[in-house]
Amino acid sequence: MAQRLGEKLLEHDSVDIVCGAGQIADIPQLVKKAINNKSLRGPKGRGNLEDSERARLLRSARNDSIKENAFVQITESIRQTDPENPALEDFESVYDRSDKDIPGQAFVRVMRGCDNFCTYCIVPYVRGPEISRPVDKIIEQVKRLADDGVKLITLLGQAVNKYQYVGDKTYTLAGLLYKVSEINGIEWIRFVTSYPQKEGFKELMQAMRDLPKVCNYLHIPAQSGSDSVLKAMNRHYDSGEYLELLRQAREIVPDIDIAGDFIVGFPGETEHDLEETAELIKQARYKNCFVFKYSPRPGTTSDNRLEDNVPLEVKKQRNYRLLEVQEKISGELAQGFLSKKVKVLVEGLSKKPHLNSDEHQGNPQLIARTAGDWIVVFNGPVSLAGGFANVKITKASPLTLFGELIK
């Protein structure tokens, strides 16, 4: 929003700083400048200023260079973003740290921006072109996280499988996975989100198969099962090509867990289009999928060129229908875990405990996840948080597996 609206946000009295994603590293400097400006204005902030003085400050903000501006810090031409941004790189390396609320896990951004230009998506216009971070910087960061006790690293990118860095040699995401897998202390590696494309897909699945640390999990949004809707979305594949990628994935990694995303109610979507999407979900057999109701994003192609002509109530109904299809599949897959022993990474206390701790030596209910991202709840000591445990599954629902700790 900051990158898209820029100085327009300053019209809100409560806003002192507008900072785009590409300038996050400048926030400390901007805050200092804003504090200095506040001190000059008096204890009541902007309300203490005469209208003419406020107008002068706004004009000053607009006329200052981006580097010196204490009010607005955005990239003037986001698609011309400097790929070598040392300030942002330093920020990424230092502040993408482990999440203390979920011990043992951390997210590491490996690339920024997007070049796909899906018609419903604002990301290419506000995050800029695809820029892959240097391999050595990523490895250095992951090593530091491993020293902090992190066990699971999730590599992030808008289309993470398009990662490509050219240094002493060219690294793809598959090559990066090999490098990260060499780091002692890191036991699990995931990556999200993957864009459906043939290029590099086979090599990526082979890396998943060959590297024990890489979790057998793939999040690969389809967005629709209708070829006409996919074309309107400017997705660069059809439903047949998408399902072929899933077939390849399962052929190379037989026990892979796959998740997907869908948008319902895209402009022009018909009942027939929805039925095609439901059929794709049945064939894909995801462990789970996320379904979103289409809502136009200002500045996107679909907002500019297409009428949002599917009523909200229809969108809600279609959302429910797809989730109903998926729930049945998730339930069937979940039943396959009954009586099995699974390795899980424990996140901590379950927010909605419904297992009786009195029957488990007073141990509270914990929440954990398998390598394939299945949610598992069981009773155990809180000290397990941030570490691995073995659990025997005793009950299964479409969204949650229930189990007993194997001591």
Side-chain angles (χ1 to χ4, degrees):
M1 189 197 300
Q3 177 63 43
R4 181 172 64 85
L5 296 179
E7 65 183 34
K8 186 174 177 62
L9 287 171
L10 292 176
E11 296 173 5
H12 297 269
D13 285 344
S14 59
V15 177
D16 295 294
I17 297 170
V18 179
C19 183
Q23 286 74 36
I24 289 178
D26 297 329
I27 284 179
Q29 178 189 8
L30 293 170
V31 169
K32 288 177 182 177
K33 288 185 177 182
I35 289 173
N36 289 335
N37 283 333
K38 282 278 190 182
S39 65
L40 292 174
R41 301 176 193 185
K44 292 185 179 180
R46 282 189 184 149
N48 226 24
L49 293 173
E50 296 292 337
D51 289 344
S52 59
E53 176 65 3
R54 182 177 176 192
R56 185 188 67 76
L57 286 171
L58 283 173
R59 283 197 301 274
S60 174
R62 290 166 182 164
N63 292 333
D64 281 348
S65 68
I66 285 188
K67 292 291 183 184
E68 299 299 321
N69 196 330
F71 291 95
V72 180
Q73 197 90 335
I74 60 173
T75 303
E76 290 288 1
S77 182
I78 194 67
R79 296 302 300 177
Q80 304 298 321
T81 299
D82 179 10
E84 302 297 332
N85 187 334
L88 189 56
E89 177 54 49
D90 289 344
F91 180 86
E92 293 272 16
S93 298
V94 174
Y95 290 101
D96 267 2
R97 295 297 228 158
S98 56
D99 185 340
K100 301 305 179 185
D101 293 329
I102 309 180
Q105 302 185 34
F107 299 91
V108 174
R109 190 184 310 280
V110 299
M111 62 185 298
R112 299 184 291 270
C114 186
D115 292 338
N116 288 322
F117 288 96
C118 302
T119 56
Y120 54 81
C121 184
I122 195 65
V123 169
Y125 305 100
V126 295
R127 293 289 178 96
E130 292 171 357
I131 298 173
S132 297
R133 293 179 60 205
V135 174
D136 59 338
K137 294 289 187 180
I138 295 170
I139 297 304
E140 179 183 324
Q141 182 178 355
V142 175
K143 284 181 177 178
R144 187 167 56 248
L145 289 166
D147 291 341
D148 285 349
V150 169
K151 300 289 190 288
L152 165 62
I153 290 290
T154 302
L155 306 179
L156 300 178
Q158 187 73 19
V160 70
N161 56 320
K162 295 178 73 175
Y163 175 89
Q164 186 174 72
Y165 182 77
V166 181
D168 54 337
K169 68 176 196 177
T170 298
Y171 284 91
T172 61
L173 180 60
L176 179 62
L177 289 174
Y178 278 93
K179 296 287 289 185
V180 176
S181 290
E182 295 172 358
I183 298 174
N184 292 329
I186 300 300
E187 297 190 43
W188 281 3
I189 305 167
R190 292 198 190 112
F191 53 89
V192 293
T193 293
S194 295
Y195 184 86
Q197 64 172 27
K198 297 177 183 178
E199 293 77 14
F201 188 78
K202 183 177 180 180
E203 292 76 13
L204 184 59
M205 292 299 98
Q206 289 172 337
M208 182 181 288
R209 176 195 64 195
D210 297 340
L211 297 170
K213 292 184 179 182
V214 177
C215 297
N216 294 347
Y217 173 74
L218 179 66
H219 181 206
I220 185 166
Q223 304 301 10
S224 177
S226 163
D227 290 345
S228 61
V229 173
L230 288 172
K231 185 176 181 180
M233 290 178 167
N234 195 37
R235 303 287 283 182
H236 306 295
Y237 54 86
D238 60 31
S239 58
E241 291 169 333
Y242 178 86
L243 289 171
E244 173 59 20
L245 292 177
L246 301 196
R247 187 199 65 77
Q248 284 186 34
R250 290 189 167 110
E251 180 180 29
I252 298 171
V253 187
D255 59 345
I256 193 171
D257 286 299
I258 300 176
D261 289 355
F262 291 91
I263 296 173
V264 296
F266 189 79
E269 182 188 63
T270 65
E271 285 295 314
H272 178 69
D273 294 326
L274 186 78
E275 289 305 317
E276 290 187 320
T277 300
E279 182 58 32
L280 185 142
I281 291 175
K282 293 174 183 177
Q283 294 186 49
R285 291 191 67 76
Y286 302 108
K287 66 170 284 289
N288 71 291
C289 70
F290 305 94
V291 184
F292 305 92
K293 298 182 293 293
Y294 172 79
S295 59
R297 294 291 184 265
T300 60
T301 302
S302 63
D303 183 48
N304 292 334
R305 300 181 183 179
L306 301 175
E307 180 187 357
D308 183 15
N309 57 2
V310 179
L312 179 59
E313 279 305 312
V314 174
K315 292 177 183 177
K316 290 180 179 179
Q317 292 168 9
R318 292 178 181 180
N319 189 314
Y320 177 78
R321 284 162 60 185
L322 292 189
L323 289 177
E324 195 174 36
V325 172
Q326 179 57 50
E327 184 178 27
K328 183 174 185 296
I329 297 168
S330 297
E332 292 170 356
L333 295 176
Q335 292 301 309
F337 284 92
L338 288 175
S339 300
K340 289 187 176 181
K341 298 175 183 178
V342 296
K343 180 180 179 180
V344 297
L345 180 57
V346 184
E347 296 183 353
L349 289 170
S350 175
K351 293 182 179 179
K352 296 181 179 180
H354 47 270
L355 296 180
N356 191 344
S357 62
D358 294 338
E359 298 176 1
H360 298 83
Q361 293 77 51
N363 285 321
Q365 181 176 294
L366 304 178
I367 186 169
R369 291 180 188 262
T370 69
D373 203 44
W374 284 89
I375 296 172
V376 178
V377 296
F378 65 97
N379 286 76
V382 179
S383 58
L384 290 175
F388 291 96
N390 292 310
V391 177
K392 182 178 179 180
I393 304 303
T394 57
K395 179 183 174 184
S397 73
L399 296 178
T400 308
L401 305 177
F402 304 83
E404 295 177 351
L405 177 66
I406 300 173
K407 297 181 180 179

